[in-house]
Amino acid sequence: ISGGELNMASGSYSSISGGYYCEASGKDSSVSGGFENEALGDYSSAMGGNGNSASGGFSSAIGGYMNEAVGDYSSVTGGKENNAGGKYSSISGGENNYANGNSSSVSGGDSNVASGLSSSISGGETNEATGDYSSVLGGKNNTAGAYNDPGGYLSVTGGRENHAGGGDNKTNGKYSSVCGGENNYATGDSSAVSGGDLNVASGEHSSISGGRSNEASG
């Protein structure tokens, strides 16, 4: 322990470089300042901020407030109350975001969840990337992946309450995409909706460019 106050380094070869009420209990773990930060996993690290925890092996929590790096090799860099639970997952900022899928990532925003394998969310609010290799680039209440069958390779570029891969529906379209608009669904395999409102592309290789209440089922 190099400084600070009321710190505890209990893990083998662990270290603390300043801070207050910090703990390094994992093997070869380290804490570099901050307040009530924890490096609990083996080879984990916590650097600065307040109330951050790195509990996964080789995980890191850098700055921010009440962030958790739970998965092995996971990382959280700033923000507030974010949780990187998947192995190799990462969160770069924002608030109340979750990266639960292995190799998933959330770059920012509020209350986003990336739960599919290698899924990603770049920002926005209350977006979900549940399909494997799916992505949501922004917007609000968008879903890439059906709840009952996550599917894969799905994308939503933005807008509001758009669904690639079915959302709440029972159908699931792989390789589908929605580029924007509101309340659009691309549920067929390789289907696409480019914009508009209340459009549904349910047929395989179907597409809708825009407008309202259109359906491409063939």
Side-chain angles (χ1 to χ4, degrees), residues 40-202:
L40 308 178
D42 291 347
Y43 308 98
S44 64
S45 63
M47 302 174 62
N50 183 347
N52 299 306
S53 175
S55 58
F58 301 91
S59 64
S60 63
I62 303 174
Y65 176 74
M66 299 294 290
N67 295 309
E68 297 179 280
V70 178
D72 290 346
Y73 305 95
S74 65
S75 66
V76 179
T77 308
K80 178 182 178 182
E81 297 177 349
N82 297 305
N83 184 296
K87 188 175 183 180
Y88 302 109
S89 63
S90 65
I91 298 178
S92 301
E95 182 175 356
N96 293 317
N97 296 307
Y98 288 82
N100 299 329
N102 290 341
S103 301
S104 63
S105 65
V106 178
S107 299
D110 184 9
S111 301
N112 298 305
V113 179
S115 58
L117 175 67
S118 296
S119 62
S120 66
I121 298 178
S122 299
E125 183 179 356
T126 56
N127 297 306
E128 295 184 74
T130 62
D132 293 347
Y133 309 100
S134 63
S135 65
V136 178
L137 299 184
K140 182 177 181 180
N141 295 329
N142 296 307
T143 302
Y147 294 110
N148 62 302
D149 183 3
Y153 305 97
L154 312 161
S155 67
V156 177
T157 305
R160 181 178 177 183
E161 297 183 5
N162 295 309
H163 303 267
D168 293 319
N169 292 345
K170 294 181 179 180
T171 54
N172 179 61
K174 294 182 180 179
Y175 313 104
S176 61
S177 65
V178 178
C179 294
E182 184 173 4
N183 295 312
N184 296 306
Y185 289 78
T187 61
D189 287 352
S190 301
S191 63
V193 178
S194 299
D197 181 25
L198 295 170
N199 297 306
V200 179
S202 59

